[in-house]
Amino acid sequence: MIDLSKLELNTPVRDKEIDPIKIFNSLTLRGEIQGLFGPQQEALSNWHSSRIDSDVLISVNTGGGKTLVGLLAAQSLVNETRGKILYVCPTNQLVQQTAAMANDCGIRVATYAKQTWSERELFDSCQSCCVTNYHAVFHGFSRFAREAVKGIIFDDAHVAPSIVRECFTLRIGTSHPAWGKLMVVFRDYFESSPFATRFNRFARPTGKFDPGVLFVPGWFIYARRNDIAEALETGGVDQDQTKQEQTKYAYAHLRDHLSQCAFFISQSAIEITPTVLPTHKLPYFRQGVRRIFMTATLPSRYEAIRTFGLDRAKSIAPAGKAGAAQRLLIFVPSRIIMGRD
């Protein structure tokens, strides 16, 4: 038998540098990026000096290089925490663009989009961050909710509210088995209400356009919450449906909180959505996780609270004109052409 106890292994020592500007200066491949803009350096320096804060909001002009700021901050967090860090983008196209920029700069990243991994071992071994999208992070069966995520960068946080709201909204079309069961429950309220005529039109879809929307009162939802839950589950909302009606992902969020949701009925669907997004229930928002919100448009305090529960985040808004005035609007008859310098 071979004794392996005395075998010497030369394992590579991972970079422990946590200063994001020094990390950038150590990169040997930068593509077309020769150096950091003043606002980028200011943003990174200010974040580095307050990196222990759980929530930091960084506002950089569009075109000012916030993606590189986010990537350097992400690698800095990887080096510091030796843990799993996520970099979240609104769309799969932006996931690809972010990964391409990282590659050009010599920053190795993993990606996860369309249920497909690349360089997964980098994320699993806590050597690099994973670039993914908001839907992959916020849907009810997210694989990342089971990971011990130490930090998360939300890119384009100003467009996140509608995307996150969609992940928490259950939409049941008229062809879904649960639709008719719910309409039976709701009829008990609407048949004696001033909206009975419109409800009856919705209950018998004709395909003719009707712009109206009916709101089911909260007191009725609370009183009939058990009947509503039974209608949803016997209708199969917790199971795989068609590609167009994948209800189980949102229902996983709402299952135990139906009485705290708003219900809307239109001619094409019933929508169920929380009055306040319960993002604070997700592991990414627990105490000890570092969160960076990258934005080109500083969201209002109330919008940040509604979406992320973000009340007293440290705000970093670098001075400088990098990225400013790079858009051109040309008005011509019947259309608008948008260009860039």
Side-chain angles (χ1 to χ4, degrees), residues 2-21:
I2 300 175
D3 183 9
L4 301 179
S5 62
K6 297 181 180 180
L7 181 65
E8 294 184 3
L9 298 177
N10 295 320
T11 57
V13 178
R14 287 183 290 173
D15 184 14
K16 296 182 180 180
E17 181 59 65
I18 66 171
D19 186 328
I21 295 178

Side-chain angles (χ1 to χ4, degrees), residues 40 64-72 87 97-98 101-102 155 294:
Q40 289 176 307
K66 62 183 175 62
T67 299
L68 181 56
V69 171
L71 286 169
L72 290 170
Y87 187 108
Q97 290 179 8
T98 301
M101 171 173 283
D155 200 1
M294 307 292 301

Side-chain angles (χ1 to χ4, degrees), residues 9-281:
L9 298 177
N10 295 320
T11 57
V13 178
R14 287 183 290 173
D15 184 14
K16 296 182 180 180
E17 181 59 65
I18 66 171
D19 186 328
I21 295 178
K22 290 182 179 179
I23 291 174
F24 175 80
N25 291 334
S26 70
L27 300 175
T28 56
L29 298 175
R30 299 181 188 170
E32 298 179 356
I33 300 174
Q34 300 300 316
L36 294 172
F37 296 145
Q40 289 176 307
Q41 292 194 49
E42 183 181 346
L44 289 169
S45 178
N46 289 345
W47 170 75
H48 182 52
S49 65
S50 59
R51 61 188 301 129
I52 62 173
D53 292 343
S54 293
D55 297 296
V56 179
L57 186 62
I58 301 178
S59 179
V60 179
N61 290 329
T62 299
K66 62 183 175 62
T67 299
L68 181 56
V69 171
L71 286 169
L72 290 170
Q75 189 60 50
S76 174
L77 288 173
V78 169
N79 292 349
E80 177 193 1
T81 65
R82 302 299 189 189
K84 295 182 177 180
I85 308 297
L86 296 176
Y87 187 108
V88 190
C89 302
T91 66
N92 289 332
Q93 181 181 8
L94 289 174
V95 170
Q96 296 172 358
Q97 290 179 8
T98 301
M101 171 173 283
N103 183 64
D104 287 344
C105 294
I107 301 174
R108 299 185 68 189
V109 298
T111 64
Y112 179 78
K114 297 181 180 179
Q115 300 183 336
T116 302
W117 283 94
S118 71
E119 305 286 355
R120 179 174 181 174
E121 65 280 359
L122 294 177
F123 178 68
D124 288 341
S125 60
C126 303
Q127 297 183 60
S128 300
C129 72
C130 175
V131 183
T132 186
N133 59 64
Y134 278 94
H135 282 97
V137 169
F138 283 99
H139 76 69
F141 292 92
S142 174
R143 65 173 56 249
F144 297 113
R146 303 188 297 270
E147 303 280 2
V149 173
K150 295 292 186 67
I152 185 165
I153 289 83
F154 295 100
D155 200 1
D156 289 323
H158 52 286
V159 303
S162 61
I163 301 174
V164 178
R165 170 68 66 180
E166 180 184 348
C167 292
F168 282 86
T169 298
L170 179 61
R171 188 179 190 277
I172 301 170
T174 55
S175 61
H176 194 286
W179 180 84
K181 297 178 183 293
L182 284 175
M183 293 296 278
V184 170
V185 177
F186 296 151
R187 182 177 294 279
D188 290 345
Y189 167 74
F190 283 105
E191 66 181 358
S192 59
S193 77
F195 308 104
T197 301
R198 171 163 288 175
F199 177 83
N200 288 330
R201 288 205 306 270
F202 290 167
R204 295 186 292 271
T206 62
K208 185 178 180 181
F209 177 69
D210 189 328
V213 175
L214 292 173
F215 173 71
V216 186
W219 62 264
F220 181 82
I221 297 300
Y222 182 82
R224 301 294 297 275
R225 60 190 183 279
N226 292 331
D227 295 332
I228 291 170
E230 183 180 357
L232 288 169
E233 298 206 1
T234 57
V237 296
D238 57 344
Q239 302 168 12
D240 284 321
Q241 301 295 328
T242 65
K243 186 176 182 179
Q244 291 73 29
E245 292 186 309
Q246 295 181 341
T247 53
K248 71 174 186 178
Y249 298 103
Y251 187 63
H253 288 308
L254 307 183
R255 181 193 302 272
D256 299 321
H257 309 284
L258 292 172
S259 62
Q260 298 169 299
C261 293
F263 286 64
F264 301 93
I265 306 172
S266 70
Q267 71 168 149
S268 60
I270 297 171
E271 288 196 357
I272 307 171
T273 190
T275 52
V276 177
L277 292 175
T279 49
H280 63 285
K281 295 288 187 179

